[in-house]
């Protein structure tokens, strides 16, 4: 039985294919179109899923969509009815896409995909809840979903047991902690639905001096429910987020020319504190009700790895599962699994313990690409790959690491990664100079061999599969791995075992032999402002447009310096 | 080749602008008559569409009314 889950038209479109209850393929559309956060119909992602399964559209048994479009449209109309006559510009900007696309999903599926069957529409927060709980390894769990907004709901909690899910309580639009975070992101002069993670990275540089002022904007109850004073916001009827009153209270919106200053850092720290307060209050309240120590989180706010890393310290929850694409792109998983497990009643659930759901390229395909383009390379023996890569990393090189199937979700987890030396104090600057050109306040993340994690981090879990939790680096170790230790002494780590990804793991262990440290910097393999690389062409182009020194693609070792005929400057096109 | 590319770009800009102008004009009556009249009548009857009022309740949680339904319920877009 084949089930296709689709999510699109808000941000980060994606598609996932289930075969007899197992996820066999999944990808975000942006990886194929090379348009970051592409919200368009995920035709390329769907085609990839079908190709991976070797089937045609006709063989799909069910197709599911990640929300109820008419309910979302009802919310949109309500916004205009409430705010008339002040919302015309937003009405004019949004209505055409509703008429042409969003209200015509079955028509689009037929036109773009050739799918003529019925479509199942799963309520958005239920799709979020399913995207985490149904692919977790828990047989029962408390569930919290928290995002910008779905149809109406913005925050929910409930319970999953066996193959059943019940979301019991909700907070609805316009009250939304996700949109509050986005408003502050916009106020700091960063892009909404994109740069919220930068605000999270900025927070440790500040003090939550605006916390009390923000409390005037949002009233938080002991049970985690909250209500916002909407006079501080414009997002319910305009295309901008903070209102005039917000600006009067907190100061003007940062312009692109203006440096990020202490005020912005303090505001980031304050909104992070508010978010954590809501997070933990909801969870403590939900725990009182369900008394279950397993927790599943989903929704865009679930990508807040700083808050995630503090859950076990601030609540009674002991085991936490968050699916790697916690935001909207991940709902296509939720949709497909909800159809299979809940609607069709199949009890056996799929446990998602890795994120390698995307396309892979064979040795022959990569060789053909390299030969056709007259790219110089060396072929390594299998046993040489890890040793050679580790040595290059130790020698201060930046490595593009392209192996196996592309990751699902926003994080590179060892198949489309840039790897470098975490022990080198200069490496953050080197990476920023050569490739990333990031704001200086943003940290790089560590990957560590699973068995060593307790020696290096204060972590109460045995593994962290998807880089969704920030934990403190042990105090005596911070100086040893300066490039992955954030200003507050923390790191957003990934653990990896031999069984999960042998080549990736082996590089870490070989690096340990050279340095005594089983940790590398792992950052996403992409040009600034572009999606993570998908195919060999993207990877090679990225290396030649940046300062990446070597590309290890399957068993091929490609040195940038040997191929300078293809060099170009990616910063000329870089956005963001 | 370059001319062709420039023409293509120009064509895109021109059609985009025309579509925007037509949309703007067509949506004006929809908004100011359709949405406007409904909104005014609703407000006369004190009907609100979004909860924007300040209130101080003990809890702001509301019940999620989504029940697990039959498969037919999921075929609906609402
Ligand atoms: Fe969402």
């Amino acid at each position: 039985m084949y089930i296709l889950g689709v999510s699109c038209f808000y941000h980060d479109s994606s598609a996932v294919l289930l075969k007899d209850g197992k996820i066999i393929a999944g990808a975000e559309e942006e990886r194929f179109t090379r348009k970051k956060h592409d919200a368009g119909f995920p035709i390329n992602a769907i085609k990839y899923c079908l190709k991976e399964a070797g089937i045609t559209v006709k063989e799909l048994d069910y197709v599911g969509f990640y929300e109820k479009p008419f309910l979302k449209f009802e919310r949109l109309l309500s916004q205009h009815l409430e705010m008339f006559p002040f919302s015309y510009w937003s009405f004019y900007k949004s209505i055409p896409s509703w008429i042409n696309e969003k209200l015509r999903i079955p028509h689009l599926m037929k036109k773009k995909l050739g799918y003529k069957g019925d479509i199942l529409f799963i309520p958005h927060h239920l799709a979020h809840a399913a995207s985490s709980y149904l692919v977790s390894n828990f047989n029962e769990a408390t569930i919290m979903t928290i995002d910008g907004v779905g149809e109406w709901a913005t925050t929910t909690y409930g319970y999953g047991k066996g193959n059943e899910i019940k979301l019991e309580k909700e907070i609805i639009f316009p009250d939304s902690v996700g949109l509050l975070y986005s408003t502050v992101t916009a106020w700091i002069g960063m892009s909404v639905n994109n740069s919220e993670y930068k605000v999270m990275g900025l927070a440790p540089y500040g003090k939550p001096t605006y916390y009390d002022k923000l409390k005037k904007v949002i009233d938080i109850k002991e049970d985690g429910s909250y209500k916002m004073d909407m006079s501080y916001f414009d997002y319910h009827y305009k295309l901008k987020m903070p209102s005039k009153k917000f600006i009067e209270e907190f100061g003007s919106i940062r312009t692109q020319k203006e440096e990020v200053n202490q005020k912005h850092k303090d505001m980031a720290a304050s909104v992070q504190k508010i978010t954590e307060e809501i997070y933990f209050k909801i969870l403590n309240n939900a725990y009182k009700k369900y008394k279950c120590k397993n927790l599943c989180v989903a929704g865009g706010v679930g990508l807040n790895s700083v808050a995630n890393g503090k859950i076990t310290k601030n609540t009674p929850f002991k085991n936490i599962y968050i699916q790697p694409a916690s935001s909207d792109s991940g709902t296509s998983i939720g949709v497909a699994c909800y159809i299979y497990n809940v609607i069709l009643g199949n009890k056996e659930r799929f446990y998602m313990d890795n994120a390698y759901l995307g396309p892979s390229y064979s040795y022959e395909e990569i060789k053909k690409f390299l030969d056709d383009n007259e790219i110089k390379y060396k072929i390594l023996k299998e046993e040489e790959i890890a040793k050679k890569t580790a040595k290059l990393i130790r020698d201060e090189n930046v490595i593009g690491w392209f192996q196996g199937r592309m990751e699902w979700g926003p994080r590179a987890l060892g198949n489309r990664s840039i790897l470098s030396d975490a022990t080198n104090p200069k490496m953050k600057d080197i990476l920023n100079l050569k490739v990333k050109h990031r704001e200086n306040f943003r940290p790089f993340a560590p990957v560590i061999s699973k068995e060593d994690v307790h020696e290096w981090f204060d972590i109460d879990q045995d593994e962290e599969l998807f880089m969704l939790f920030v934990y403190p680096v042990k105090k005596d170790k911070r100086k040893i791995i300066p490039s992955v230790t954030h200003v507050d002494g923390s790191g957003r780590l990934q653990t990896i075992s031999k069984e999960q990804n042998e080549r990736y793991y082996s590089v870490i262990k070989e690096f340990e032999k050279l340095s005594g440290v089983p940790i590398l910097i792992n950052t996403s393999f992409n040009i600034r402002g572009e999606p993570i690389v998908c195919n060999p062409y993207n990877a090679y182009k990225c290396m030649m447009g940046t300062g990446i020194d070597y590309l290890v693609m399957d068993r091929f070792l490609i040195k940038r310096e040997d191929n300078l005929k293809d060099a170009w400057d990616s910063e000329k096109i870089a956005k963001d | 080749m370059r001319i062709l590319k420039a023409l293509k770009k120009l064509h895109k800009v021109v059609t985009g602008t025309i579509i925007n102008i037509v949309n703007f004009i067509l949506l004006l009556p929809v908004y100011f008559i359709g949405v406007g009249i409904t909104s005014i009548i609703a407000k006369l009857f004190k009907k609100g569409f979004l909860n924007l009022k300040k209130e101080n309740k003990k809890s702001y949680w509301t019940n999620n009314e989504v029940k697990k339904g039959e498969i037919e319920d999921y075929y609906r877009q609402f």
Side-chain angles (χ1 to χ4, degrees), chain A residues 211-239:
Chain A
Y211 174 79
D212 289 332
K213 269 193 177 181
L214 273 179
K215 277 301 219 29
K216 282 203 274 182
V217 173
I218 184 164
D219 177 29
I220 306 168
K221 298 295 177 196
E222 268 318 292
D223 61 5
S225 64
Y226 58 89
K227 175 123 195 82
M228 284 154 60
D229 181 343
M230 291 308 294
S231 61
Y232 287 94
F233 303 92
D234 277 354
Y235 61 72
H236 52 300
Y237 70 107
K238 283 186 181 172
L239 299 172

Side-chain angles (χ1 to χ4, degrees), chain A residues 82 87 121 169 219 221 223, chain B residues 31 49 56 59-60 63 74:
Chain A
E82 183 70 37
S87 61
F121 295 91
K169 296 283 179 185
D219 177 29
K221 298 295 177 196
D223 61 5
Chain B
Y31 184 76
F49 295 93
N56 197 357
S59 171
Y60 298 119
N63 291 325
Y74 297 99

Side-chain angles (χ1 to χ4, degrees), chain A residues 333-381:
Chain A
I333 283 189
V335 165
C337 292
Y338 192 86
I339 294 171
Y340 185 78
N341 292 120
V342 182
I343 299 178
L344 301 175
N346 291 295
K347 291 213 172 348
E348 200 171 317
R349 286 162 40 204
F350 174 78
Y351 172 41
M352 186 173 173
D353 63 351
N354 72 69
Y356 308 127
L357 300 177
S360 67
Y361 298 85
S362 67
Y363 176 92
E364 288 73 24
E365 282 172 304
I366 296 171
K367 186 167 189 313
K368 186 173 183 318
F369 163 75
L370 296 172
D371 291 339
D372 286 355
N373 291 284
E374 293 171 5
I375 296 165
K376 288 183 185 154
Y377 59 83
K378 270 188 197 160
I379 299 174
L380 301 172
K381 287 182 194 147

Side-chain angles (χ1 to χ4, degrees), chain A residues 10-11 66-67 72 124-125 128 145-151 153-154 298-301 326-329 331:
Chain A
Y10 189 35
H11 49 85
Y66 83 130
E67 64 183 12
K72 195 171 189 177
H124 186 66
H125 275 255
H128 269 312
T145 68
I146 182 161
D147 70 356
V149 59
E151 293 93 357
T154 64
V301 185
S326 168
S327 66
D328 279 5
S329 63
T331 53

Side-chain angles (χ1 to χ4, degrees), chain A residues 520-533:
Chain A
L520 293 174
I521 295 179
N522 165 34
T523 184
S524 54
F525 193 171
N526 63 317
I527 292 166
R528 186 165 69 92
E530 273 200 7
I532 294 175
V533 300

